[in-house]
Amino acid sequence: MTNQGRPPLAVIVKGWPRLSETFIAQELVALEDAGQSFEIWSLRHPTDRKRHPLHDRLQAAVRYLPEYLYQEPDRVWAARQKAHKMPGYQTAYRIWREDLRRDPSRNRIRRFGQACVLAAEMPDEVLGLYAHFLHTPSSVARYAAIMRGLPWSFSAHAKDIWTSPEWELREKLSADHHGAVFGATCTGFGAKHLQDLADRRDRVDLIYHGLDLSRFPAPPQRKYRAPGDPLHLMSVGRLVEKKGFDRLIGALALLPATLDWHWTHIGGGDMGDLLQGMAEDAGVADRITWRGACDQPEVIAAMRASDIFVLPSRIAKDGDRDGLPNVLMEAASQRLPILSTAVSAIPEFIDSGTHGLLSDDSPDALAEAILYLSQNPETAADMAEAALMRLRRDFGMDPGIARLSERLTSMMQRA
């Protein structure tokens, strides 16, 4: 096998493909369309049984690093020997040892082993690395980039910003610690936080994901729902604490018996059994459909058949929270009225009362908001139309992709 013609950019992701990370697939396809050439290096193998059509549009080769070091000892050992001879290995090793002292975890050890494999197996043509998420993928990218003497960059999103230790964020944002040449993040809320930690504020760019509306059907011409008609609620999101679905189940149990409602949930996650048990205890299990992970056409079809989209995001106990979930923009693309919460960057897209309703995340407040939207279908429709107009005007994908492509090109020219 020859390296001739191999791409100059290495993109590091935690797993590929992932149904819950459509925003990454959308971005990478758009970067290819913008002329960027890259290979994907994934830390984990896929676990989802389905793929979005978007995944099949990507032309880039996908290469998998050892998910666990013990599974491929010969590959890891050979890579370590090759990496050890690189000029930057000792510096990378020293920085990793400092990180390991503050984070003595198996995950930290695995990051260095994966970085050795990445540094050893990346072709000579690589001029820069770009990691999606500022925690584990960026650690692997950083160690490998130091070994190879290459610049690296990142895109940060939500959990990686709010649950990573401050010392690690500061060092990944500092030239003195071999930090990223630049970083992008998808919310103004997250950008300000990272800019406050960086050695230079211009090291971090606000680049909204936006939405590639060409991937979505034209929104339906919805008929007003009469207040007495059945109410179809839906949500899309992983079954994890920060999505707030436990609070939503509590809210559904508070809805009046006169309201004929049904809630459909789409998405996987570790809390499925717990939440289904909560629904049974609350006496609402027979009004809920748990569809599990679905591909993009299935999600859009469900949105077009629903009356209200509900995403009751909240701040988890460990500080994790949403950024600006793409599913809100997807719901807006189908003229679907939105009920969410004023967490993190959600108000950057939705002005409550104009583009949707932003409720507190308590069951009482969510139930009151659902009841209001069900009783005021014309108001709900007006807000859905306003959200669609805002999406088209302010949250298109192209400006962000142009800026990101420009920064990636500049990074590789430095190399």
Side-chain angles (χ1 to χ4, degrees), residues 179-326:
V181 171
F182 79 91
T185 191
C186 51
T187 68
F189 188 72
K192 182 182 183 303
H193 180 69
L194 294 179
Q195 287 166 349
D196 289 343
L197 297 175
D199 58 353
R200 297 194 332 266
R201 295 186 66 82
D202 63 358
R203 196 176 296 280
V204 179
D205 259 1
L206 167 60
I207 299 179
Y208 284 115
H209 293 310
L211 206 64
D212 178 6
L213 290 173
S214 68
R215 294 192 295 110
F216 295 86
Q221 294 295 332
R222 295 181 179 272
K223 297 180 180 179
Y224 286 139
R225 177 191 154 273
D229 289 346
L231 179 68
H232 299 284
L233 307 163
M234 76 160 297
S235 302
V236 181
R238 291 181 299 125
L239 296 171
V240 295
E241 183 184 2
K242 71 177 179 180
K243 296 298 184 180
F245 294 127
D246 55 336
R247 305 285 175 85
L248 179 56
I249 290 171
L252 296 175
L254 296 175
L255 294 176
T258 54
L259 183 62
D260 182 9
W261 62 269
H262 191 91
W263 177 49
T264 297
H265 175 270
I266 292 176
D270 297 336
M271 292 179 62
D273 291 343
L274 174 63
L275 292 171
Q276 290 180 39
M278 289 179 60
E280 291 174 2
D281 292 343
V284 296
D286 60 339
R287 292 186 170 205
I288 298 175
T289 298
W290 305 91
R291 290 190 57 182
C294 292
D295 60 29
Q296 192 76 42
E298 292 171 321
V299 171
I300 297 304
M303 287 180 170
R304 294 170 73 88
S306 299
D307 299 309
I308 301 174
F309 184 85
V310 187
L311 187 67
S313 301
R314 65 188 181 96
I315 300 175
K317 292 177 182 178
D318 65 356
D320 190 13
R321 68 201 75 180
D322 273 328
L324 176 53
N326 263 33

Side-chain angles (χ1 to χ4, degrees), residues 22 95 100 122 125 145 178 189 253 302 309-310 319 347-348 360:
T22 315
I95 289 174
L100 183 64
M122 279 190 302
E125 287 85 350
H178 298 269
F189 188 72
F309 184 85
V310 187
E348 293 177 35
D360 292 338

Side-chain angles (χ1 to χ4, degrees), residues 342-364:
V343 168
S344 190
I346 292 174
E348 293 177 35
F349 179 56
I350 297 175
D351 292 330
S352 187
T354 301
H355 310 104
L357 284 187
L358 298 183
S359 163
D360 292 338
D361 64 16
S362 69
D364 286 340

